[in-house]
Amino acid sequence: MNSALIAFMVLFLSVYLYFLQQRSLDKLKPFFKSHDSVIFLPLFPIALYVVLALLLGKFDIDLFRRIFLYFGVPACLLYFSNREKPEIQITDALAIFALWLPYDLRFMSASWNLGGSFGFPMNTLCACVFALIAFGAWRKLDIGLKWRLSSKDLKTILITFALLASIIIPLGWGIGFLHFKVTDKVFWQLPLLYLGIFLGIGIPEELIFRGLGQNMLKTRYGIFRALFVASIIFGLAHLNNGGFPNYKYAFLAALAGTGYGYVYHKTKSIVA
């Protein structure tokens, strides 16, 4: 990955972090007063690809079509949602699925074939920004973008984490899923690794499964059914991790998802 791409990634990461704040989405809401404004949502990632690809001399019409469909299909599905109703609708669910599945299967990584390992992180950031604007600004949902956590929030997080660890670690070890080994990463690399996981995996998953899925399910079905359904779907989404079907991973992910969902419910934050 050359220096220009690295600089661009840093710049776009700043854009990503900017839209992970509720006040940033609130500023966009006046631009999405009209229901029909949803059709403009795919323009940003599409234009971004065209500009980058042309500047780097790597424009590909097939990859352009893939990006156009990836962001165009969820926008078309959302067009048929009643955005005045906060509860989940079938078109909301299909739009979320259309964003998540290609991302999870790494289907879109090659679309940003602009050099090095640029594809997956670029698609992750674009998909998250699209989802934040689509559901937070156009759909007008309170996703849960609270960064300032109270002492009560921190207590909830620590207790839930301790309970999850006391269940999942022995269980994962017992079923042969977890294996303990010394990492070959040097000490200074670990914070960067954990930060990358938090921003590139943790936040996108919490956004999709808790901020959108569980959040809208709760409005229609109540917290207990929403938590159960969101956790099961979260577990199923991990079936393809480490070889399909990975039932052990899916089972443990569903258990973890229950804890994550509880923390989200209590803290109202996807970053908790």
Side-chain angles (χ1 to χ4, degrees), residues 175 177 235-253:
I175 63 178
F177 177 78
L236 293 176
H238 289 78
L239 270 173
N240 64 319
N241 289 33
F244 182 85
N246 193 334
Y247 297 113
K248 296 177 181 179
Y249 202 143
F251 173 64
L252 294 176

Side-chain angles (χ1 to χ4, degrees), residues 14-32:
S14 301
V15 174
Y16 170 56
L17 292 173
Y18 175 77
F19 284 115
L20 277 173
Q21 302 176 69
Q22 187 60 49
R23 64 176 180 270
S24 300
L25 298 180
D26 290 339
K27 291 178 182 178
L28 285 181
K29 288 179 181 179
F31 297 98
F32 292 102

